[in-house]
Every structure is written in C-alpha cells, then in structure tokens.
Amino acid sequence: ETGVTQTPRHLVMGMTNKKSLKCEQHLGHNAMYWYKQSAKKPLELMFVYSLEERVENNSVPSRFSPECPNSSHLFLHLHTLQPEDSALYLCASSFSWTGNTGELFFGEGSRLTVL
Amino acid sequence: QKEVEQNSGPLSVPEGAIASLNCTYSDRGSQSFFWYRQYSGKSPELIMSIYSNGDKEDGRFTAQLNKASQYVSLLIRDSQPSDSATYLCAVRIQAGTALIFGKGTTLSVSS
C-alpha cells in the first residue's frame, strides 16, 4: 500500500446507525486531517491531528467523533447523522503540522449517504 | 473570515491552447500556496506548490504568485482533454494553520 488509503469508499447509513470511516497513511507523515466536501462548497476542514494530538476542531457537531490511535491511522466515528451530512469525506496527511510547507496528500475519499 | 476566491467557470479552451486559472486570497500574510486537480468522482491531487513571488514551472504547468496583489495563478500550456477537471486553489497562512480552499474552477478542454 502506498499513499493514503480510506475505507470504505462508499457508505450508506440510516440516521440511527453507527459507523466508522478509516484512514491509513503510508507516507511517514506526522499530521492527519479530516475534510468534508459537499457540492458547490469549498473543502471544509473538520479535524487535525498532529503527533496523535487533536490540534484543531473546526466547530464540528458531536455526532462526528475522531480518533487517532497512532500517527498512521485516523478514524471518524459517525452516529445519529442527518441527511445533510451526506458528502465526500476526505482524509489527508502532511509531513508536519508545524512545518514550513504544509502540502496535503489526500486519500480517495469515503462517499457517505445518509438516508 | 479568511477567504480564497476562484471563478467557478466552466473555463473552456481548445486542445493545445493555454489555460489560465486565477485565485485571490484575503490574508496578506499568507505564506504557502497550492494548486490541486480534482477529477470528477476522485480526490484532490497536488500538482503545484509555490512559496515566493514569481513563477514556478513544472512541465506544462506554471504557477505564478504575486503577494502584493494577493493573487496566484496556474497556467497550463498545450492543454489536453485529460486536463479537464476542477482545479482547487489552497492557501496556508502560516505554519500551524490549515489550508483554506477555494471552491474550484472547472476546466474543459475540447479536442
């Protein structure tokens, strides 16, 4: 495996379900991110983890719960979602949160549909 | 509110022409600038990064940065149908802050 991998690629869930999105990066990076991409809107930052500590939480509803057990893995736990949460959820990594460059490398995304 | 603005397009160019994509940003102190390409149904892919005023060339792509005008552009020479995609401009104000993305410009290259 290379780069950033996300599973599942597609997910359909009801509003009362609990599911999780998984992300793994194979780049040796120290920072990992969750972004949300909805139609006609810019990419929205949700969470940032640097060296397994959450450093940014962009006013995301509590029905989204991130987890970063180590610098290579990132999860997004989902529960009691709303139909407006349907979107493409993108995981990304960068070499360092505090580094001078900040280039992000994205996974393929998880397309979420909430019924 | 930190903002990155792009014309949503679509920008249509014939094959072989130069495509010019533009982006403006609101925070004068921004330090890092990126262009991503996103094909329909795919994730964004980094194609260029630029950190200082002037031009940076990589193959058919040239990024141009003018910090005084708060303007960054991407030129694609000899455009190909495979360049048809949405191009996202992203700006990072400083280390320890997240990238701010524009809504993207859709480019269509006709053969």
Side-chain angles (χ1 to χ4, degrees):
Chain A
E1 295 277 12
T2 58
V4 181
T5 57
Q6 290 186 241
T7 55
R9 297 289 309 278
H10 300 273
L11 178 62
V12 179
M13 59 188 290
M15 290 191 285
T16 58
N17 291 160
K18 289 184 180 181
K19 298 286 185 182
S20 295
L21 306 180
K22 178 184 176 182
C23 176
E24 183 174 3
Q25 59 95 2
H26 309 270
L27 300 169
H29 288 169
N30 289 327
M32 296 188 76
Y33 308 72
W34 281 115
Y35 277 87
K36 176 183 178 183
Q37 189 173 38
S38 306
K40 309 295 185 187
K41 295 176 73 173
L43 280 165
E44 300 173 62
L45 177 68
M46 299 179 73
F47 302 103
V48 181
Y49 277 82
S50 173
L51 296 171
E52 302 152 42
E53 286 192 32
R54 192 188 311 179
V55 294
E56 187 135 337
N57 176 348
N58 207 25
S59 301
V60 177
S62 59
R63 57 186 182 268
F64 296 92
S65 175
E67 178 189 1
C68 186
N70 55 61
S71 60
S72 298
H73 293 86
L74 185 65
F75 295 89
L76 188 63
H77 303 300
L78 316 169
H79 63 98
T80 60
L81 295 190
Q82 305 298 309
E84 59 265 29
D85 297 321
S86 299
L88 181 67
Y89 288 85
L90 291 161
C91 176
S93 70
S94 68
F95 179 74
S96 169
W97 173 243
T98 56
N100 290 329
T101 56
E103 294 173 337
L104 285 182
F105 296 87
F106 287 91
E108 288 297 319
S110 295
R111 174 69 62 184
L112 173 65
T113 302
V114 182
L115 301 177
Chain B
Q1 183 83 8
K2 313 299 183 185
E3 293 186 339
V4 176
E5 299 287 342
Q6 296 181 255
N7 188 326
S8 61
L11 173 65
S12 298
V13 300
E15 184 174 358
I18 296 175
S20 177
L21 304 161
N22 304 315
C23 172
T24 58
Y25 57 95
S26 62
D27 194 297
R28 181 171 289 278
S30 298
Q31 298 179 352
S32 307
F33 307 87
F34 308 92
W35 284 99
Y36 285 82
R37 177 177 62 200
Q38 187 172 23
Y39 292 114
S40 180
K42 301 292 186 181
S43 63
E45 173 192 12
L46 179 67
I47 55 173
M48 291 286 287
S49 56
I50 187 166
Y51 305 99
S52 55
N53 276 330
D55 294 359
K56 179 181 178 182
E57 185 175 319
D58 184 0
R60 295 186 295 113
F61 298 97
T62 299
Q64 300 175 317
L65 175 61
N66 184 327
K67 289 187 177 181
S69 300
Q70 295 175 232
Y71 176 94
V72 57
S73 65
L74 180 70
L75 301 178
I76 306 175
R77 291 182 299 281
D78 188 23
S79 294
Q80 300 297 309
S82 58
D83 294 324
S84 299
T86 296
Y87 289 80
L88 306 176
C89 174
V91 174
R92 189 191 197 205
I93 296 172
Q94 60 186 27
T97 63
L99 270 63
I100 304 168
F101 284 84
K103 291 183 180 180
T105 298
T106 300
L107 172 66
S108 177
V109 181
S110 55
S111 56

